[in-house]
C-alpha cells in the first residue's frame, strides 16, 4: 500500500542536490532559456515499475516580476497519478528567477513507454497563459511483463448458467413506499432544521473561501505596498458582497455601495482606496482601509447568519 506521508530523509537529500545542479544549469544557460521561454520538465529516473513511486521535476526560469503558478495535485498528470509534491524556494539573480517543484508520481499503466508534458501558468494581469514543457518519456521495466507462457491449461467454460429469478415488483414497491414514508417523516420532523444547517454550511464555506483570498491579497499589499494587490482585494470584496446580498456590488460605485451599506468608516475607507487605485499613489493607510472593508464584510456575514438562525430562511445563499 502506498504512503503519502511525505518523502524520506534520503530522498529529500537527493531532491536538494538535484535542485542545486538544476539551478546551476539554468543560471549558466540563462539567455538561451529566456529566449525559448519554455519550462523544463523531466523524470528523475529512466525506468519505473507499476505501482511504485518515482519523481518528476518541473522548473521554470522567468523574469523576476512575472507571477507563475505550477500545477497542483488536482491537475491531470495522465497516465500518472500524483502522490505528493515538494516546492523549492525561488532563486533569483541577474539571469532571472528560477522556480522549481518535484512531484512524486505513480503509474498503473502497462504501456512500455509513457510520456508526460505539463504546463506552467503565467499570470498576465487578466488571466493565465499555459506554457507547456517538452514531452519527456519514461519506460516500464521488463520484469513488469510476465506473460502467459503455457496456454495448454486454458479450457473453455461450457457449463450452463442458472437463469436469474424473476424480479419481484411487489417487494420493490413495498420497499419504495417504506423509503418514501420514512424520508417524508424525517423531512416533516426535521426538514426545517436540516435545511437551515445546510444554508449555514454553504454560507460558512463561501465566507472561508473569501477570507482566504482577501487575506492573501491584504498581506501582499501590506508587505509589498503593491497597489495592484489592493485593487484585486477590492474586486474580491465586491464579488463576495454581491453573492452575499444578491446585489450587483461588482458594478456599484462608492456612492452606490454607501447607499446600500451606510457606514461612515466604510465610506472613508472606500474613498481612500479610490484615491490610491485611480491616483496610483501609495498610502500608509492602505492596509487600514482594507481592514475596514474586511470588517464590513464580516458584519454582513454575521447578519446573514443570524437571519438564518432566527428562521428567516433564504432561498439561495
Amino acid at each position: 500500500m502506498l504512503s503519502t506521508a511525505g518523502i524520506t530523509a534520503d530522498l529529500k537529500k537527493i531532491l536538494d542536490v538535484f535542485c542545486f545542479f538544476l539551478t546551476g544549469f539554468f543560471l549558466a544557460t540563462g539567455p538561451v532559456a529566456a529566449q525559448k521561454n519554455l519550462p523544463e520538465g523531466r523524470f528523475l529516473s529512466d525506468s519505473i515499475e507499476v505501482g511504485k513511486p518515482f519523481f518528476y521535476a518541473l522548473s521554470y526560469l522567468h523574469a523576476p516580476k512575472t507571477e507563475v503558478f505550477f500545477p497542483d495535485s488536482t491537475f491531470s498528470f495522465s497516465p500518472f497519478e500524483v502522490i505528493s509534491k515538494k516546492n523549492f524556494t525561488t532563486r533569483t539573480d541577474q539571469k532571472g528567477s528560477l522556480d522549481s517543484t518535484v512531484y512524486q508520481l505513480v503509474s498503473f499503466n502497462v504501456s512500455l513507454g509513457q510520456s508526460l508534458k505539463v504546463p506552467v501558468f503565467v499570470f498576465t494581469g487578466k488571466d493565465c497563459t499555459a506554457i507547456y514543457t517538452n514531452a519527456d518519456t519514461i519506460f516500464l521495466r521488463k520484469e513488469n511483463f510476465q506473460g502467459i507462457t503455457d496456454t495448454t491449461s486454458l479450457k473453455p467454460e461450457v457449463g450452463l448458467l442458472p437463469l436469474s429469478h424473476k424480479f419481484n415488483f411487489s417487494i420493490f414497491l413495498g420497499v419504495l413506499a417504506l423509503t418514501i414514508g420514512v424520508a417524508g417523516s424525517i423531512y416533516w420532523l426535521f426538514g426545517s432544521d436540516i435545511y437551515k444547517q445546510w444554508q449555514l454550511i454553504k454560507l460558512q464555506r463561501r465566507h472561508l473561501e473569501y477570507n482566504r483570498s482577501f487575506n492573501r491579497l491584504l498581506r501582499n499589499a501590506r508587505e509589498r505596498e503593491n497597489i495592484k494587490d489592493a485593487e484585486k482585494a477590492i474586486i474580491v470584496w465586491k464579488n463576495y458582497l454581491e453573492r452575499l446580498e444578491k446585489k450587483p456590488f461588482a458594478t456599484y460605485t462608492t456612492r452606490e455601495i454607501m447607499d446600500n451599506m451606510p457606514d461612515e468608516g466604510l465610506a472613508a475607507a472606500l474613498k481612500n482606496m479610490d484615491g490610491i487605485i485611480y491616483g496610483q499613489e501609495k498610502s500608509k493607510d492602505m492596509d487600514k482601509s482594507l481592514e475596514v472593508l474586511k470588517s464590513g464584510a464580516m458584519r454582513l456575514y454575521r447578519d446573514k447568519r443570524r437571519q438564518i438562525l432566527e428562521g428567516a430562511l433564504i432561498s439561495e445563499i
Side-chain angles (χ1 to χ4, degrees):
M1 182 175 181
L2 294 177
S3 172
T4 59
I7 307 174
T8 64
D10 291 338
L11 291 179
K12 285 184 178 180
K13 293 179 181 179
I14 294 174
L15 297 182
D16 291 337
V17 172
F18 164 77
C19 184
F20 173 79
F21 283 108
L22 187 62
T23 303
F25 168 78
F26 272 109
L27 295 180
T29 60
V32 176
Q35 291 174 4
K36 292 184 178 180
N37 200 28
L38 288 178
E40 176 77 11
R42 63 178 61 185
F43 295 102
L44 300 188
S45 55
D46 56 359
S47 62
I48 60 173
E49 294 184 46
V50 173
K52 291 190 177 181
F54 56 95
F55 298 95
Y56 177 83
L58 177 63
S59 57
Y60 185 46
L61 183 65
H62 57 87
K65 293 185 179 180
T66 302
E67 189 172 0
V68 299
F69 304 93
F70 281 20
D72 59 14
S73 58
T74 61
F75 181 79
S76 175
F77 284 76
S78 181
F80 310 104
E81 297 180 14
V82 179
I83 298 177
S84 64
K85 62 177 291 192
K86 177 179 177 63
N87 296 318
F88 293 88
T89 304
T90 302
R91 304 189 180 186
T92 302
D93 69 355
Q94 67 276 11
K95 302 295 184 180
S97 293
L98 176 65
D99 286 299
S100 55
T101 297
V102 174
Y103 298 89
Q104 189 179 30
L105 307 178
V106 67
S107 175
F108 298 98
N109 194 304
V110 295
S111 300
L112 180 59
Q114 301 177 33
S115 299
L116 177 66
K117 63 177 182 178
V118 297
V120 169
F121 301 98
V122 179
F123 183 68
T124 59
K126 295 183 179 179
D127 55 11
C128 288
T129 301
I131 304 177
Y132 280 83
T133 64
N134 291 322
D136 193 20
T137 302
I138 199 166
F139 296 94
L140 201 63
R141 294 177 186 168
K142 291 183 179 179
E143 52 264 30
N144 281 257
F145 295 94
Q146 299 178 355
I148 299 176
T149 58
D150 183 12
T151 60
T152 58
S153 61
L154 297 178
K155 296 181 180 180
E157 177 61 57
V158 294
L160 298 177
L161 295 176
L163 296 176
S164 59
H165 296 287
K166 185 178 179 181
F167 186 76
N168 194 322
F169 282 98
S170 299
I171 295 178
F172 170 75
L173 293 176
V175 171
L176 181 62
L178 179 63
T179 303
I180 294 175
V182 171
S185 299
I186 293 174
Y187 182 79
W188 181 69
L189 292 172
F190 308 106
S192 177
D193 292 334
I194 293 173
Y195 183 59
K196 185 184 298 184
Q197 290 301 319
W198 173 242
Q199 285 185 312
L200 290 173
I201 291 172
K202 290 195 296 181
L203 183 69
Q204 183 179 24
R205 184 190 63 193
R206 290 175 180 172
H207 184 72
L208 290 175
E209 292 174 355
Y210 150 76
N211 260 346
R212 215 164 22 241
S213 299
F214 189 88
N215 287 338
R216 176 175 58 84
L217 294 169
L218 173 60
R219 184 172 58 254
N220 291 342
R222 179 187 295 120
E223 294 175 355
R224 305 175 186 174
E225 296 185 356
N226 192 333
I227 296 177
K228 288 186 178 180
D229 286 328
E231 185 176 1
K232 292 176 186 177
I234 296 294
I235 294 173
V236 169
W237 182 77
K238 287 185 176 181
N239 288 336
Y240 175 66
L241 293 189
E242 184 169 308
R243 296 188 70 180
L244 199 62
E245 292 293 306
K246 299 297 178 292
K247 295 179 181 179
F249 276 89
T251 59
Y252 276 176
T253 62
T254 297
R255 182 178 295 276
E256 290 172 330
I257 293 176
M258 288 300 94
D259 290 341
N260 288 271
M261 298 175 61
D263 184 282
E264 293 182 1
L266 191 62
L270 283 171
K271 290 177 181 178
N272 184 42
M273 293 308 301
D274 285 344
I276 293 172
I277 293 172
Y278 296 114
Q280 291 296 303
E281 294 182 358
K282 297 179 181 179
S283 171
K284 295 181 179 179
D285 297 330
M286 181 171 64
D287 57 330
K288 295 181 180 179
S289 298
L290 291 175
E291 288 286 359
V292 172
L293 298 184
K294 180 181 176 181
S295 299
M298 177 62 75
R299 286 196 300 272
L300 286 181
Y301 164 74
R302 289 173 177 170
D303 288 343
K304 194 69 63 177
R305 183 179 177 85
R306 186 174 58 255
Q307 292 176 16
I308 296 175
L309 290 173
E310 291 175 353
L313 298 179
I314 304 163
S315 61
E316 183 69 22
I317 296 292

PDB file of all heavy atoms in Angstrom, residues 124-152:
ATOM      1  N   THR A 124      -1.000  37.004 -16.534  1.00  0.00           N
ATOM      2  CA  THR A 124      -0.802  38.136 -17.446  1.00  0.00           C
ATOM      3  C   THR A 124      -1.585  39.377 -17.044  1.00  0.00           C
ATOM      4  O   THR A 124      -1.662  40.326 -17.804  1.00  0.00           O
ATOM      5  CB  THR A 124      -1.209  37.738 -18.882  1.00  0.00           C
ATOM      6  OG1 THR A 124      -2.590  37.330 -18.878  1.00  0.00           O
ATOM      7  CG2 THR A 124      -0.338  36.588 -19.395  1.00  0.00           C
ATOM      8  N   GLY A 125      -2.193  39.362 -15.890  1.00  0.00           N
ATOM      9  CA  GLY A 125      -2.957  40.531 -15.428  1.00  0.00           C
ATOM     10  C   GLY A 125      -4.442  40.269 -15.401  1.00  0.00           C
ATOM     11  O   GLY A 125      -5.131  40.622 -14.454  1.00  0.00           O
ATOM     12  N   LYS A 126      -4.974  39.634 -16.461  1.00  0.00           N
ATOM     13  CA  LYS A 126      -6.399  39.336 -16.525  1.00  0.00           C
ATOM     14  C   LYS A 126      -6.660  37.835 -16.461  1.00  0.00           C
ATOM     15  O   LYS A 126      -7.679  37.412 -15.962  1.00  0.00           O
ATOM     16  CB  LYS A 126      -7.014  39.913 -17.807  1.00  0.00           C
ATOM     17  CG  LYS A 126      -6.987  41.433 -17.858  1.00  0.00           C
ATOM     18  CD  LYS A 126      -7.675  41.949 -19.113  1.00  0.00           C
ATOM     19  CE  LYS A 126      -7.668  43.481 -19.165  1.00  0.00           C
ATOM     20  NZ  LYS A 126      -8.319  43.997 -20.395  1.00  0.00           N
ATOM     21  N   ASP A 127      -5.749  37.058 -17.014  1.00  0.00           N
ATOM     22  CA  ASP A 127      -5.908  35.614 -16.976  1.00  0.00           C
ATOM     23  C   ASP A 127      -4.531  34.968 -16.935  1.00  0.00           C
ATOM     24  O   ASP A 127      -3.525  35.647 -16.786  1.00  0.00           O
ATOM     25  CB  ASP A 127      -6.720  35.123 -18.185  1.00  0.00           C
ATOM     26  CG  ASP A 127      -6.097  35.588 -19.502  1.00  0.00           C
ATOM     27  OD1 ASP A 127      -4.950  36.096 -19.469  1.00  0.00           O
ATOM     28  OD2 ASP A 127      -6.736  35.444 -20.555  1.00  0.00           O
ATOM     29  N   CYS A 128      -4.502  33.626 -17.042  1.00  0.00           N
ATOM     30  CA  CYS A 128      -3.249  32.884 -17.016  1.00  0.00           C
ATOM     31  C   CYS A 128      -3.004  32.207 -18.352  1.00  0.00           C
ATOM     32  O   CYS A 128      -3.939  31.665 -18.959  1.00  0.00           O
ATOM     33  CB  CYS A 128      -3.274  31.828 -15.901  1.00  0.00           C
ATOM     34  SG  CYS A 128      -3.166  32.528 -14.236  1.00  0.00           S
ATOM     35  N   THR A 129      -1.766  32.260 -18.820  1.00  0.00           N
ATOM     36  CA  THR A 129      -1.365  31.597 -20.052  1.00  0.00           C
ATOM     37  C   THR A 129      -0.592  30.337 -19.707  1.00  0.00           C
ATOM     38  O   THR A 129       0.337  30.370 -18.912  1.00  0.00           O
ATOM     39  CB  THR A 129      -0.494  32.534 -20.912  1.00  0.00           C
ATOM     40  OG1 THR A 129      -1.247  33.720 -21.215  1.00  0.00           O
ATOM     41  CG2 THR A 129      -0.087  31.841 -22.210  1.00  0.00           C
ATOM     42  N   ALA A 130      -0.987  29.204 -20.312  1.00  0.00           N
ATOM     43  CA  ALA A 130      -0.322  27.928 -20.051  1.00  0.00           C
ATOM     44  C   ALA A 130       0.838  27.753 -21.029  1.00  0.00           C
ATOM     45  O   ALA A 130       0.658  27.849 -22.243  1.00  0.00           O
ATOM     46  CB  ALA A 130      -1.303  26.771 -20.184  1.00  0.00           C
ATOM     47  N   ILE A 131       2.030  27.516 -20.484  1.00  0.00           N
ATOM     48  CA  ILE A 131       3.210  27.233 -21.300  1.00  0.00           C
ATOM     49  C   ILE A 131       3.657  25.821 -20.964  1.00  0.00           C
ATOM     50  O   ILE A 131       3.998  25.526 -19.825  1.00  0.00           O
ATOM     51  CB  ILE A 131       4.345  28.240 -21.025  1.00  0.00           C
ATOM     52  CG1 ILE A 131       3.836  29.679 -21.249  1.00  0.00           C
ATOM     53  CG2 ILE A 131       5.544  27.949 -21.902  1.00  0.00           C
ATOM     54  CD1 ILE A 131       4.880  30.722 -20.921  1.00  0.00           C
ATOM     55  N   TYR A 132       3.650  24.928 -21.976  1.00  0.00           N
ATOM     56  CA  TYR A 132       3.927  23.519 -21.739  1.00  0.00           C
ATOM     57  C   TYR A 132       5.411  23.194 -21.906  1.00  0.00           C
ATOM     58  O   TYR A 132       6.115  23.802 -22.715  1.00  0.00           O
ATOM     59  CB  TYR A 132       3.119  22.647 -22.703  1.00  0.00           C
ATOM     60  CG  TYR A 132       1.697  22.465 -22.283  1.00  0.00           C
ATOM     61  CD1 TYR A 132       0.731  23.425 -22.572  1.00  0.00           C
ATOM     62  CD2 TYR A 132       1.290  21.326 -21.578  1.00  0.00           C
ATOM     63  CE1 TYR A 132      -0.589  23.265 -22.188  1.00  0.00           C
ATOM     64  CE2 TYR A 132      -0.028  21.151 -21.189  1.00  0.00           C
ATOM     65  CZ  TYR A 132      -0.963  22.111 -21.491  1.00  0.00           C
ATOM     66  OH  TYR A 132      -2.248  21.942 -21.109  1.00  0.00           O
ATOM     67  N   THR A 133       5.860  22.215 -21.144  1.00  0.00           N
ATOM     68  CA  THR A 133       7.211  21.695 -21.307  1.00  0.00           C
ATOM     69  C   THR A 133       7.265  20.800 -22.543  1.00  0.00           C
ATOM     70  O   THR A 133       6.228  20.414 -23.096  1.00  0.00           O
ATOM     71  CB  THR A 133       7.601  20.836 -20.083  1.00  0.00           C
ATOM     72  OG1 THR A 133       6.718  19.695 -20.032  1.00  0.00           O
ATOM     73  CG2 THR A 133       7.453  21.623 -18.800  1.00  0.00           C
ATOM     74  N   ASN A 134       8.470  20.481 -22.976  1.00  0.00           N
ATOM     75  CA  ASN A 134       8.616  19.431 -23.971  1.00  0.00           C
ATOM     76  C   ASN A 134       8.303  18.095 -23.310  1.00  0.00           C
ATOM     77  O   ASN A 134       8.519  17.898 -22.119  1.00  0.00           O
ATOM     78  CB  ASN A 134      10.043  19.422 -24.535  1.00  0.00           C
ATOM     79  CG  ASN A 134      10.323  20.656 -25.378  1.00  0.00           C
ATOM     80  OD1 ASN A 134       9.445  21.117 -26.109  1.00  0.00           O
ATOM     81  ND2 ASN A 134      11.524  21.194 -25.277  1.00  0.00           N
ATOM     82  N   ALA A 135       7.783  17.157 -24.111  1.00  0.00           N
ATOM     83  CA  ALA A 135       7.406  15.847 -23.563  1.00  0.00           C
ATOM     84  C   ALA A 135       8.653  15.061 -23.171  1.00  0.00           C
ATOM     85  O   ALA A 135       9.650  15.052 -23.891  1.00  0.00           O
ATOM     86  CB  ALA A 135       6.585  15.069 -24.581  1.00  0.00           C
ATOM     87  N   ASP A 136       8.585  14.418 -22.013  1.00  0.00           N
ATOM     88  CA  ASP A 136       9.650  13.519 -21.567  1.00  0.00           C
ATOM     89  C   ASP A 136       9.040  12.131 -21.392  1.00  0.00           C
ATOM     90  O   ASP A 136       7.893  11.996 -20.963  1.00  0.00           O
ATOM     91  CB  ASP A 136      10.246  14.012 -20.246  1.00  0.00           C
ATOM     92  CG  ASP A 136      11.543  13.304 -19.914  1.00  0.00           C
ATOM     93  OD1 ASP A 136      12.159  12.734 -20.836  1.00  0.00           O
ATOM     94  OD2 ASP A 136      11.960  13.330 -18.741  1.00  0.00           O
ATOM     95  N   THR A 137       9.807  11.112 -21.755  1.00  0.00           N
ATOM     96  CA  THR A 137       9.300   9.736 -21.763  1.00  0.00           C
ATOM     97  C   THR A 137      10.062   8.890 -20.753  1.00  0.00           C
ATOM     98  O   THR A 137      11.276   9.032 -20.599  1.00  0.00           O
ATOM     99  CB  THR A 137       9.433   9.125 -23.165  1.00  0.00           C
ATOM    100  OG1 THR A 137       8.722   9.940 -24.100  1.00  0.00           O
ATOM    101  CG2 THR A 137       8.848   7.718 -23.195  1.00  0.00           C
ATOM    102  N   ILE A 138       9.340   8.023 -20.087  1.00  0.00           N
ATOM    103  CA  ILE A 138       9.931   7.065 -19.159  1.00  0.00           C
ATOM    104  C   ILE A 138       9.445   5.677 -19.541  1.00  0.00           C
ATOM    105  O   ILE A 138       8.337   5.527 -20.095  1.00  0.00           O
ATOM    106  CB  ILE A 138       9.557   7.420 -17.699  1.00  0.00           C
ATOM    107  CG1 ILE A 138      10.494   6.750 -16.723  1.00  0.00           C
ATOM    108  CG2 ILE A 138       8.119   7.079 -17.399  1.00  0.00           C
ATOM    109  CD1 ILE A 138      10.392   7.310 -15.303  1.00  0.00           C
ATOM    110  N   PHE A 139      10.254   4.660 -19.271  1.00  0.00           N
ATOM    111  CA  PHE A 139       9.960   3.317 -19.760  1.00  0.00           C
ATOM    112  C   PHE A 139       9.688   2.355 -18.603  1.00  0.00           C
ATOM    113  O   PHE A 139      10.263   2.462 -17.521  1.00  0.00           O
ATOM    114  CB  PHE A 139      11.121   2.797 -20.613  1.00  0.00           C
ATOM    115  CG  PHE A 139      11.340   3.606 -21.853  1.00  0.00           C
ATOM    116  CD1 PHE A 139      12.263   4.648 -21.855  1.00  0.00           C
ATOM    117  CD2 PHE A 139      10.608   3.363 -23.002  1.00  0.00           C
ATOM    118  CE1 PHE A 139      12.467   5.408 -22.988  1.00  0.00           C
ATOM    119  CE2 PHE A 139      10.805   4.123 -24.134  1.00  0.00           C
ATOM    120  CZ  PHE A 139      11.733   5.145 -24.138  1.00  0.00           C
ATOM    121  N   LEU A 140       8.803   1.393 -18.883  1.00  0.00           N
ATOM    122  CA  LEU A 140       8.447   0.382 -17.903  1.00  0.00           C
ATOM    123  C   LEU A 140       9.514  -0.718 -17.907  1.00  0.00           C
ATOM    124  O   LEU A 140       9.988  -1.133 -18.962  1.00  0.00           O
ATOM    125  CB  LEU A 140       7.078  -0.217 -18.244  1.00  0.00           C
ATOM    126  CG  LEU A 140       6.319  -0.917 -17.130  1.00  0.00           C
ATOM    127  CD1 LEU A 140       5.973   0.062 -16.028  1.00  0.00           C
ATOM    128  CD2 LEU A 140       5.047  -1.541 -17.679  1.00  0.00           C
ATOM    129  N   ARG A 141       9.913  -1.162 -16.738  1.00  0.00           N
ATOM    130  CA  ARG A 141      10.934  -2.197 -16.649  1.00  0.00           C
ATOM    131  C   ARG A 141      10.404  -3.540 -17.140  1.00  0.00           C
ATOM    132  O   ARG A 141       9.234  -3.856 -16.987  1.00  0.00           O
ATOM    133  CB  ARG A 141      11.421  -2.330 -15.200  1.00  0.00           C
ATOM    134  CG  ARG A 141      12.161  -1.093 -14.726  1.00  0.00           C
ATOM    135  CD  ARG A 141      12.563  -1.196 -13.279  1.00  0.00           C
ATOM    136  NE  ARG A 141      13.141   0.065 -12.821  1.00  0.00           N
ATOM    137  CZ  ARG A 141      13.377   0.371 -11.563  1.00  0.00           C
ATOM    138  NH1 ARG A 141      13.091  -0.499 -10.612  1.00  0.00           N
ATOM    139  NH2 ARG A 141      13.913   1.542 -11.233  1.00  0.00           N
ATOM    140  N   LYS A 142      11.307  -4.345 -17.712  1.00  0.00           N
ATOM    141  CA  LYS A 142      10.909  -5.596 -18.357  1.00  0.00           C
ATOM    142  C   LYS A 142      10.292  -6.577 -17.373  1.00  0.00           C
ATOM    143  O   LYS A 142       9.447  -7.390 -17.739  1.00  0.00           O
ATOM    144  CB  LYS A 142      12.120  -6.229 -19.043  1.00  0.00           C
ATOM    145  CG  LYS A 142      12.609  -5.438 -20.247  1.00  0.00           C
ATOM    146  CD  LYS A 142      13.760  -6.147 -20.935  1.00  0.00           C
ATOM    147  CE  LYS A 142      14.227  -5.358 -22.156  1.00  0.00           C
ATOM    148  NZ  LYS A 142      15.369  -6.026 -22.839  1.00  0.00           N
ATOM    149  N   GLU A 143      10.731  -6.530 -16.091  1.00  0.00           N
ATOM    150  CA  GLU A 143      10.196  -7.504 -15.136  1.00  0.00           C
ATOM    151  C   GLU A 143       8.711  -7.293 -14.865  1.00  0.00           C
ATOM    152  O   GLU A 143       8.072  -8.129 -14.231  1.00  0.00           O
ATOM    153  CB  GLU A 143      10.960  -7.449 -13.802  1.00  0.00           C
ATOM    154  CG  GLU A 143      11.068  -6.062 -13.206  1.00  0.00           C
ATOM    155  CD  GLU A 143      12.397  -5.418 -13.579  1.00  0.00           C
ATOM    156  OE1 GLU A 143      12.922  -5.726 -14.666  1.00  0.00           O
ATOM    157  OE2 GLU A 143      12.902  -4.626 -12.768  1.00  0.00           O
ATOM    158  N   ASN A 144       8.159  -6.150 -15.339  1.00  0.00           N
ATOM    159  CA  ASN A 144       6.723  -5.920 -15.188  1.00  0.00           C
ATOM    160  C   ASN A 144       5.900  -6.730 -16.179  1.00  0.00           C
ATOM    161  O   ASN A 144       4.685  -6.778 -16.081  1.00  0.00           O
ATOM    162  CB  ASN A 144       6.390  -4.437 -15.340  1.00  0.00           C
ATOM    163  CG  ASN A 144       6.691  -3.655 -14.088  1.00  0.00           C
ATOM    164  OD1 ASN A 144       5.814  -3.311 -13.327  1.00  0.00           O
ATOM    165  ND2 ASN A 144       7.984  -3.388 -13.857  1.00  0.00           N
ATOM    166  N   PHE A 145       6.569  -7.288 -17.194  1.00  0.00           N
ATOM    167  CA  PHE A 145       5.852  -8.065 -18.204  1.00  0.00           C
ATOM    168  C   PHE A 145       6.076  -9.553 -17.942  1.00  0.00           C
ATOM    169  O   PHE A 145       7.144 -10.094 -18.204  1.00  0.00           O
ATOM    170  CB  PHE A 145       6.348  -7.707 -19.612  1.00  0.00           C
ATOM    171  CG  PHE A 145       6.058  -6.295 -20.003  1.00  0.00           C
ATOM    172  CD1 PHE A 145       7.017  -5.304 -19.794  1.00  0.00           C
ATOM    173  CD2 PHE A 145       4.842  -5.938 -20.533  1.00  0.00           C
ATOM    174  CE1 PHE A 145       6.750  -3.997 -20.142  1.00  0.00           C
ATOM    175  CE2 PHE A 145       4.578  -4.629 -20.874  1.00  0.00           C
ATOM    176  CZ  PHE A 145       5.518  -3.656 -20.683  1.00  0.00           C
ATOM    177  N   GLN A 146       5.113 -10.179 -17.374  1.00  0.00           N
ATOM    178  CA  GLN A 146       5.174 -11.610 -17.109  1.00  0.00           C
ATOM    179  C   GLN A 146       4.015 -12.264 -17.842  1.00  0.00           C
ATOM    180  O   GLN A 146       2.944 -12.493 -17.295  1.00  0.00           O
ATOM    181  CB  GLN A 146       5.114 -11.894 -15.609  1.00  0.00           C
ATOM    182  CG  GLN A 146       6.281 -11.280 -14.844  1.00  0.00           C
ATOM    183  CD  GLN A 146       6.195 -11.513 -13.355  1.00  0.00           C
ATOM    184  OE1 GLN A 146       5.210 -12.061 -12.883  1.00  0.00           O
ATOM    185  NE2 GLN A 146       7.220 -11.113 -12.631  1.00  0.00           N
ATOM    186  N   GLY A 147       4.214 -12.493 -19.107  1.00  0.00           N
ATOM    187  CA  GLY A 147       3.148 -13.022 -19.958  1.00  0.00           C
ATOM    188  C   GLY A 147       2.832 -14.467 -19.664  1.00  0.00           C
ATOM    189  O   GLY A 147       3.568 -15.175 -18.962  1.00  0.00           O
ATOM    190  N   ILE A 148       1.765 -14.952 -20.217  1.00  0.00           N
ATOM    191  CA  ILE A 148       1.357 -16.350 -20.051  1.00  0.00           C
ATOM    192  C   ILE A 148       2.160 -17.191 -21.029  1.00  0.00           C
ATOM    193  O   ILE A 148       2.104 -16.985 -22.246  1.00  0.00           O
ATOM    194  CB  ILE A 148      -0.155 -16.507 -20.306  1.00  0.00           C
ATOM    195  CG1 ILE A 148      -0.931 -15.660 -19.306  1.00  0.00           C
ATOM    196  CG2 ILE A 148      -0.569 -17.953 -20.246  1.00  0.00           C
ATOM    197  CD1 ILE A 148      -2.416 -15.668 -19.543  1.00  0.00           C
ATOM    198  N   THR A 149       2.930 -18.131 -20.521  1.00  0.00           N
ATOM    199  CA  THR A 149       3.782 -18.968 -21.376  1.00  0.00           C
ATOM    200  C   THR A 149       3.154 -20.327 -21.669  1.00  0.00           C
ATOM    201  O   THR A 149       3.521 -20.989 -22.641  1.00  0.00           O
ATOM    202  CB  THR A 149       5.142 -19.175 -20.699  1.00  0.00           C
ATOM    203  OG1 THR A 149       4.946 -19.775 -19.419  1.00  0.00           O
ATOM    204  CG2 THR A 149       5.849 -17.835 -20.511  1.00  0.00           C
ATOM    205  N   ASP A 150       2.238 -20.745 -20.845  1.00  0.00           N
ATOM    206  CA  ASP A 150       1.620 -22.058 -21.038  1.00  0.00           C
ATOM    207  C   ASP A 150       0.130 -21.887 -21.218  1.00  0.00           C
ATOM    208  O   ASP A 150      -0.580 -21.497 -20.294  1.00  0.00           O
ATOM    209  CB  ASP A 150       1.915 -22.960 -19.834  1.00  0.00           C
ATOM    210  CG  ASP A 150       1.344 -24.357 -20.035  1.00  0.00           C
ATOM    211  OD1 ASP A 150       0.932 -24.662 -21.175  1.00  0.00           O
ATOM    212  OD2 ASP A 150       1.320 -25.127 -19.054  1.00  0.00           O
ATOM    213  N   THR A 151      -0.336 -22.161 -22.431  1.00  0.00           N
ATOM    214  CA  THR A 151      -1.766 -21.996 -22.729  1.00  0.00           C
ATOM    215  C   THR A 151      -2.497 -23.331 -22.761  1.00  0.00           C
ATOM    216  O   THR A 151      -3.688 -23.383 -23.055  1.00  0.00           O
ATOM    217  CB  THR A 151      -1.944 -21.285 -24.079  1.00  0.00           C
ATOM    218  OG1 THR A 151      -1.324 -22.079 -25.106  1.00  0.00           O
ATOM    219  CG2 THR A 151      -1.308 -19.907 -24.055  1.00  0.00           C
ATOM    220  N   THR A 152      -1.769 -24.419 -22.496  1.00  0.00           N
ATOM    221  CA  THR A 152      -2.421 -25.737 -22.571  1.00  0.00           C
ATOM    222  C   THR A 152      -3.438 -25.943 -21.462  1.00  0.00           C
ATOM    223  O   THR A 152      -4.323 -26.785 -21.581  1.00  0.00           O
ATOM    224  CB  THR A 152      -1.358 -26.844 -22.486  1.00  0.00           C
ATOM    225  OG1 THR A 152      -0.628 -26.696 -21.264  1.00  0.00           O
ATOM    226  CG2 THR A 152      -0.388 -26.735 -23.666  1.00  0.00           C
TER     227      THR A 152
END
